[in-house]
Amino acid sequence: MTSEAVRRLQSGSPWEESFGHARAVAAGDRVLVAGTTAFKDRVLYGEGDPYEQAKVAFTSALEAIAEFGLGPEAVVRTRMYLTHLRDVDEVGRAHKELFDSVRPASTLLVVEGFVDPRILVEIELEAYRGAVDS
């Protein structure tokens, strides 16, 4: 795969700069979105509310794939990481609202924590953009 076949998108997150990663990477027919939280412009949205945090995180991730001309229908995999088992239903509700008609392969994990203890949810997306000319 040539370097022209790989395109990277930065969102301005401070972690992208300090850790050296991209918000999303398009490689061939796939677009991979890095772990995304409810932080926007250094402000955490939905503090204490797993449903709201999931909606904001998914919206940010969908905005990233939109930069590559894709919408929710292109999402083929989601990963959801939660800090509390009690939040499964609320995060699942947010996922269903966005992806019920799409039905991507999904994984949900409960983890010990995130870089900021106020973060309750972090998500990842993978999207398929079909055959890409090389």
Side-chain angles (χ1 to χ4, degrees):
M1 185 177 300
T2 65
S3 61
E4 295 85 39
V6 177
R7 197 171 130 219
R8 292 169 176 81
L9 174 72
Q10 301 299 134
S11 71
S13 160
W15 291 302
E16 290 171 10
E17 187 59 34
S18 64
F19 294 173
H21 75 91
R23 163 63 50 226
V25 176
D29 60 3
R30 296 173 61 198
V31 177
L32 310 171
V33 180
T36 305
T37 68
F39 267 101
K40 287 184 166 227
D41 299 321
R42 299 181 185 256
V43 174
L44 177 66
Y45 289 83
E47 189 168 344
D49 183 343
Y51 169 79
E52 188 61 29
Q53 283 194 23
K55 290 282 288 211
V56 171
F58 277 123
T59 299
S60 293
L62 289 170
E63 288 169 356
I65 69 168
E67 292 291 322
F68 297 98
L70 302 174
E73 69 285 347
V75 175
V76 295
R77 171 175 283 290
T78 59
R79 292 182 185 91
M80 298 160 278
Y81 304 91
L82 317 177
T83 54
H84 299 287
L85 186 59
R86 68 173 186 242
D87 297 337
V88 167
D89 289 340
E90 288 301 294
V91 173
R93 180 168 64 102
H95 187 277
K96 182 177 175 83
E97 287 176 7
L98 293 165
F99 300 108
D100 192 31
S101 65
V102 178
R103 301 289 172 128
S106 295
T107 301
L108 188 143
L109 300 165
V110 177
V111 299
E112 188 170 325
F114 299 112
V115 296
D116 184 311
R118 299 173 298 160
I119 298 171
L120 302 174
V121 180
E122 184 167 327
I123 62 95
E124 297 176 352
L125 295 183
E126 292 184 30
Y128 177 74
R129 60 185 182 161
V132 175
D133 295 330
S134 300

